[in-house]
Amino acid sequence: MSFKRTARRVPPRLYRSKLFVPGSRPVLFEKAAAGAADVVCLDLEDSVAPGDKDSARDNVVAALHDVDWGKKLVTARINGLDTHWCYRDVLALVERGGERLDAIMIPKVGNGSDVYAIDMLITQASEAVGRRKHIGLEAIIETVAGLANIDAIASASSRLESLHFGAADYAASQNMRTTNIGGGNADYVMLTDGPARERHWNDLWHYPLFRLAQTARAHGIVPIDGPFGNYSDAEGFRVQARRTAILGCEGKWAIHPSQVALANEIFTPPAAEVKRAEAILAALQEAHGKGFGAVALNGVLIDAASIRQAEVIVGQMQMVRERS
């Protein structure tokens, strides 16, 4: 272990599912609050038409006061820094939104200065109104500039809690020839050698998601996978979510209520993994009591690294049990 360890900046929380709700549709707020999503994001950006931006902002501010959000994390996605709505979103949420909001999500973050700018607005507005509760920040990486500058983004503010991947805008930024939001593409394949020439699909999103997860962990924050556009394709959602869970993401967006249960299912540790993790901790505790640093469990060597892996799984499952 390095002399200078990377500590997790935010307390352990459940991020399995993040349900997006348009700020222009307040009729959906109570349903989202009563639903099974771990996190609800009240959206002021892409899901809100330009003519509805001001009323949506007022709807979200009112909902932060009037809706019982229970123990959910509640965040709000503001409009981008390249719009004239951005600063008004931040000031309204901080100065008029009360103490319920947990974090502000910044879309299309291109560099560390974007995060710094929103941090400055939050800090000054909080001081102006005597706000008590700390507001975190979430950054969406959805441009090639954002991915190129991801380390600077991740270290730009102590408020930053999570990095999220936005596949659609990222694809547009890179001029990728695809209209899929997540999922595969039939033209992104390799052919095997030999007479059969079998086609093997590749993962369009592996590199940016791997880079995002790696950077988030290096800076002590949480990586979250973004949207899967075809909400009628449950199996496609499951397959992508399983891949990103393996990469280290702690959750995934739900752009439709039907995706909440899927995300909760995938990002809850499988029962077999939990059972093995608990067995690892028990076996190593017994081994350490006998003076051994490592021990075999069912024919597999386990040691101190195994403890760290097992503790992550057991700790996450404990949060799920408490929520249930």
Side-chain angles (χ1 to χ4, degrees):
M1 187 66 69
S2 170
F3 170 71
K4 191 173 183 179
R5 290 188 63 178
T6 299
R8 183 182 174 112
R9 280 200 234 161
V10 293
R13 299 168 175 165
L14 285 179
Y15 290 94
R16 297 171 301 172
S17 53
K18 186 182 183 77
L19 177 64
F20 277 70
V21 185
S24 53
R25 300 192 64 191
V27 68
L28 301 178
F29 293 168
E30 294 280 0
K31 294 179 181 178
D38 292 334
V39 187
V40 172
C41 182
L42 302 171
D43 189 24
L44 298 173
E45 199 216 10
D46 281 354
S47 67
V48 178
D52 294 332
K53 296 290 189 182
D54 292 339
S55 59
R57 185 188 302 120
D58 290 339
N59 292 339
V60 169
V61 167
L64 291 171
H65 290 280
D66 300 338
V67 175
D68 181 3
W69 298 102
K71 295 183 179 181
K72 294 184 185 302
L73 285 177
V74 180
T75 72
R77 179 167 67 169
I78 60 174
N79 287 282
L81 279 81
D82 59 339
T83 75
H84 62 275
W85 297 297
C86 176
Y87 81 97
R88 295 176 65 192
D89 291 342
V90 176
L91 295 183
L93 291 167
V94 177
E95 294 183 346
R96 297 195 285 118
E99 299 284 336
R100 184 59 184 85
L101 186 68
D102 293 298
I104 288 176
M105 172 174 269
I106 316 171
K108 301 176 182 65
V109 177
N111 54 65
S113 298
D114 292 346
V115 179
Y116 181 91
I118 302 303
D119 186 341
M120 179 272 293
L121 285 176
I122 293 173
T123 300
Q124 292 191 356
S126 296
E127 291 177 357
V129 297
R131 186 182 180 88
R132 300 184 303 277
K133 184 175 180 179
H134 174 86
I135 294 179
L137 284 173
E138 303 176 307
I140 314 177
I141 303 301
E142 47 189 334
T143 65
V144 291
L147 191 64
N149 297 319
I150 193 168
D151 278 296
I153 290 167
S155 60
S157 168
S158 60
R159 291 185 185 272
L160 193 65
E161 297 180 350
S162 56
L163 294 177
H164 302 244
F165 179 61
D169 280 296
Y170 178 84
S173 175
Q174 191 165 304
N175 287 350
M176 294 169 67
R177 196 169 67 186
T178 183
T179 56
N180 291 352
I181 303 176
N185 187 292
D187 290 330
Y188 195 59
V189 299
M190 294 290 289
L191 288 177
T192 61
D193 289 333
R197 305 310 304 272
E198 294 179 358
R199 296 165 65 88
H200 289 275
W201 286 44
N202 292 315
D203 184 355
L204 288 169
W205 318 109
H206 176 76
Y207 171 71
L209 277 163
F210 186 91
R211 183 79 177 93
L212 181 143
Q214 180 186 58
T215 304
R217 296 306 183 188
H219 290 272
I221 56 181
V222 179
I224 306 292
D225 188 15
F228 186 83
N230 187 356
Y231 56 80
S232 63
D233 182 6
E235 190 55 28
F237 182 98
R238 283 193 179 95
V239 168
Q240 177 159 318
R242 287 191 187 105
R243 291 203 309 276
T244 57
I246 294 298
L247 286 178
C249 289
E250 291 192 17
K252 186 166 176 59
W253 293 12
I255 60 171
H256 188 273
S258 65
Q259 294 180 330
V260 170
L262 299 174
N264 286 346
E265 169 197 332
I266 299 302
F267 288 93
T268 296
E273 287 190 15
V274 175
K275 184 177 180 180
R276 174 167 170 75
E278 291 172 340
I280 285 172
L281 294 179
L284 280 171
Q285 183 178 16
E286 181 180 354
H288 291 169
K290 297 178 179 178
F292 299 119
V295 68
L297 179 65
N298 297 326
V300 177
L301 179 69
I302 55 175
D303 56 12
S306 305
I307 292 179
R308 290 188 287 273
Q309 290 175 303
E311 285 176 341
V312 168
I313 293 171
V314 171
Q316 188 177 18
M317 194 62 214
Q318 181 61 36
M319 288 190 293
V320 172
R321 287 168 178 159
E322 290 172 358
R323 175 66 58 86
S324 300

